[in-house]
């Protein structure tokens, strides 16, 4: 119990524990985003939570050790609005005005609040919020995607000369309703990224992705928004 009480008081030990917990919680929230191929994945969410927690700790440090008379949470309050600029960078409008990235942006905003909570020593609230975020990002995403009639698959192909052949073979297997070419997410020179919108027609999503991975010269195939 003495150790738990120590964690509620600002000290070097509690500061270290809070930073490690912030990184852990942020990583757990970002794990699903990274696993499904989103740009803002595990590392991004760790940095967001870690930076938010550090902001709170800086305020506490200034109030305790520097004799500052300001509210120790005044600086950290700016994180809630400031994280919006980072989140806005993940939101894109494409595919006939289709908006993507909103879930990732909202997840980073929630991760920032988790970091603030951990930095302030509100461990229980941070843990519960992290758990709810993980449930929302995984289970609810599965339920929502299962209700869709279409599946959007990101396929990355090695070499532009292999793109047409891969698309043709994929279209022979499935009913492709839209094809979009874009820059490769891996940033590997020579790779080409393609988003294929496929009509499910009773087919399992996992089987479609596995079929895409089985195509010649395909190095990545993941479901995308």
């Amino acid at each position: 119990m003495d150790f738990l009480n120590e964690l509620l008081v600002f000290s070097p030990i509690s500061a270290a524990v809070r930073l490690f917990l912030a990184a852990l919680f942020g990583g757990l929230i970002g794990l699903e985003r990274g696993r499904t191929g989103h740009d803002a994945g595990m590392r991004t969410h760790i940095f967001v939570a870690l930076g938010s927690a550090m902001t709170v700790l800086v305020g506490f440090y200034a109030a305790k050790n520097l004799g500052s008379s300001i509210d120790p949470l005044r600086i950290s309050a700016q994180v809630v609005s400031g994280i919006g600029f980072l989140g806005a960078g993940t939101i894109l409008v494409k595919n006939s005005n289709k908006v993507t990235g909103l879930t990732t942006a909202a997840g980073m905003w929630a991760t920032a609040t988790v970091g603030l909570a951990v930095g302030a020593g509100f461990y229980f609230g941070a843990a519960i919020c992290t758990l709810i975020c993980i449930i929302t990002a995984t289970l609810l995403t599965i339920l929502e995607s299962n209700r869709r009639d279409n599946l959007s698959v990101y396929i990355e192909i090695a070499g532009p000369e292999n793109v047409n052949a891969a698309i043709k073979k994929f279209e022979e297997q499935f009913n492709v309703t839209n094809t979009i070419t874009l820059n490769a997410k891996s940033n590997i020179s020579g790779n080409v990224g393609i988003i294929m919108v496929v009509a499910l027609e009773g087919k399992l999503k996992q089987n479609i992705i596995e079929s895409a991975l089985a195509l010649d010269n395909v190095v990545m195939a993941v479901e995308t928004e």
Side-chain angles (χ1 to χ4, degrees):
M1 291 299 294
D2 291 339
F3 178 72
L4 293 178
N5 292 332
E6 175 69 19
L7 295 182
L8 297 177
V9 180
F10 180 79
S11 66
I13 294 177
S14 69
V17 171
R18 294 178 193 190
L19 290 174
F20 277 113
L21 283 177
L24 174 63
F25 290 159
L28 290 174
I29 294 174
L31 184 61
E32 187 273 341
R33 295 282 91 185
R35 182 180 58 82
T36 53
H38 292 80
D39 292 330
M42 191 173 181
R43 288 178 297 180
T44 302
H45 285 74
I46 287 176
F47 287 142
V48 168
L50 198 57
S52 300
M54 189 62 189
T55 303
V56 178
L57 294 174
V58 168
F60 287 162
Y61 179 85
K64 180 179 180 180
N65 299 313
L66 301 182
S68 175
S69 60
I70 65 171
D71 181 358
L73 296 179
R74 183 176 180 180
I75 300 176
S76 60
Q78 308 308 312
V79 172
V80 178
S81 57
I83 194 66
F85 290 96
L86 181 60
T90 68
I91 301 174
L92 299 174
V93 180
K94 57 183 181 180
N95 304 350
S96 301
N97 293 327
K98 180 182 177 181
V99 179
T100 63
L102 285 174
T103 302
T104 301
M108 287 196 298
W109 186 84
T111 302
T113 64
V114 169
L116 292 173
V118 173
F122 186 29
Y123 306 112
F124 177 76
I128 294 299
C129 184
T130 299
L131 178 62
I132 295 174
C133 286
I134 293 173
I135 293 174
T136 301
T138 53
L139 297 182
L140 295 185
T141 297
I142 294 173
L143 292 176
E144 288 178 353
S145 59
N146 286 338
R147 291 200 301 265
R148 297 172 186 162
D149 295 327
N150 296 324
L151 172 67
S152 182
V153 183
Y154 170 80
I155 300 174
E156 190 164 319
I157 303 169
E161 69 277 3
N162 299 314
V163 171
N164 290 335
I167 293 177
K168 183 178 180 180
K169 289 183 179 180
F170 195 77
E171 289 178 340
E172 290 174 353
Q173 301 180 56
F174 306 103
N175 181 12
V176 179
T177 60
N178 195 13
T179 302
I180 302 163
T181 303
L182 65 161
N183 294 329
K185 290 186 177 182
S186 66
N187 294 321
I188 297 177
S189 178
N191 283 11
V192 179
I194 297 176
I195 292 180
M196 310 279 280
V197 181
V198 185
L200 288 177
E201 298 176 339
K203 297 180 177 64
L204 295 177
K205 295 185 298 178
Q206 187 60 35
N207 291 345
I208 296 176
I209 294 175
E210 290 176 355
S211 297
L213 284 170
L215 295 175
D216 293 337
N217 302 302
V218 171
V219 297
M220 181 191 301
V222 294
E223 181 182 355
T224 186
E225 292 182 346

